[in-house]
Amino acid sequence: MKTLYYSHPDFLFHETGAGHPECADRLRSIAIALEVPEFSSLIRVLAPLGTEQQIRLIHPLFHVEAILAAIPEQGEYYLDQDTVLSPGSKKAAFRAVGAVCDAVDKILSGKADNAFCAIRPPGHHAEPDLAMGFCLFNNVAIAAEYARRHYHLERIAIVDFDVHHGNGTQAAFYNQPNVLYASSHEMPNYPGTGYPTETGVGNIINVPLATGDTGAEFRKKYSNIILPALRKFKPDLLLVSAGFDAHKDDPLSSISLTEDDFKWITQELMCCADSYCEGRIISILEGGYNLNALAASVAVHVKTLLGL
Ligand SMILES: [Zn+2]
């Protein structure tokens, strides 16, 4: 498989302060894990800067301007108790958006089969007019809307296996039947949304996991609910909100997945993408806060995307 891997040193300069789980070391640990010869066939791409126009596909101008205006010249500025801005946040956030839109261009023009975007800040909690939960702009939602507008795709699916519900992605597409949003997430946990009764216009599928659930329950719920819905939807493009914080060693959840479970879900999603959209998958990093677990899980995920 031709697999693109997006990264950029600028992602390290979005600083969140000492002790914050969403830190630059997350990407450093991923980079180290992917440096070994096994990953020599990855096509490494430096994330380009995205544009304000791309961000505005999802976020209104007043909101974008308010976030940019709040970026401090030094130190940190807290948008809320979790969500931090630092002098490097603009470039990091714009490169995160640039990475996912460039991946859409490259995958839809057939230059590669699939892509993994090792980006930060993450995006799935960012609602159209509210930054929250470590997220400034909603990268995966922007990618979906960019693909819809520029390539006129009729059906885009977003599968979100981050342990937290992607309230921002759900909000962006709640009334949009052309975008399927399917999420598995621990309940109760942050942000508190994601009940199965939240169904949008039939395009939202929320599958809560219970505290203590393991790979067995995770696989069962995907096999019984999310994967059949995905097959019924027949996406033209599959986007993945790839958060690895459902790992058993993650400090922000009480779900106990292993690397093997992340391999399994990656294979299942690839199988579905092969059936309906020529294997087109763009996987976008969301959470994952134990550095060793994150690095090992991303390594397995990317290895699977490579077809190794
Ligand atoms: Zn998460």
Side-chain angles (χ1 to χ4, degrees), residues 147-162:
R148 257 168 45 75
R149 301 273 183 98
H150 290 262
Y151 295 91
H152 309 292
L153 299 188
E154 284 180 18
R155 290 178 307 279
I156 296 176
I158 301 171
V159 173
D160 185 335
F161 60 71
D162 187 281

Side-chain angles (χ1 to χ4, degrees), residues 124-125 162-165 243-245 252 286-289:
H124 74 154
H125 294 306
D162 187 281
V163 83
H164 304 99
H165 180 239
F244 298 90
D245 41 9
L252 298 196
E286 301 284 359
Y289 304 101

Side-chain angles (χ1 to χ4, degrees), residues 108-235:
L108 289 177
S109 61
K111 294 197 173 86
D113 300 303
N114 55 37
F116 180 71
C117 302
I119 59 178
R120 61 186 287 275
H124 74 154
H125 294 306
E127 298 193 355
D129 58 1
L130 181 66
M132 60 182 273
F134 315 160
C135 302
L136 303 181
F137 304 126
N138 195 317
N139 307 310
V140 76
I142 291 167
E145 197 56 23
Y146 181 81
R148 257 168 45 75
R149 301 273 183 98
H150 290 262
Y151 295 91
H152 309 292
L153 299 188
E154 284 180 18
R155 290 178 307 279
I156 296 176
I158 301 171
V159 173
D160 185 335
F161 60 71
D162 187 281
V163 83
H164 304 99
H165 180 239
N167 59 293
T169 313
Q170 173 170 301
F173 298 115
Y174 206 71
N175 296 303
Q176 176 48 270
N178 301 88
V179 178
L180 178 82
Y181 176 67
S183 172
S184 59
H185 44 271
E186 182 179 15
M187 284 193 96
N189 198 329
Y190 185 88
T193 50
Y195 288 91
T197 48
E198 297 163 22
T199 55
V201 286
N203 64 320
I204 306 285
I205 298 166
N206 283 311
V207 180
L209 300 167
T211 298
D213 273 0
T214 64
E217 290 85 12
F218 176 85
R219 294 183 192 209
K220 202 164 145 188
K221 289 195 165 164
Y222 270 89
S223 298
N224 291 344
I225 306 171
I226 293 182
L227 295 170
L230 199 54
R231 291 198 186 94
K232 194 173 161 206
F233 185 71
K234 299 183 173 56

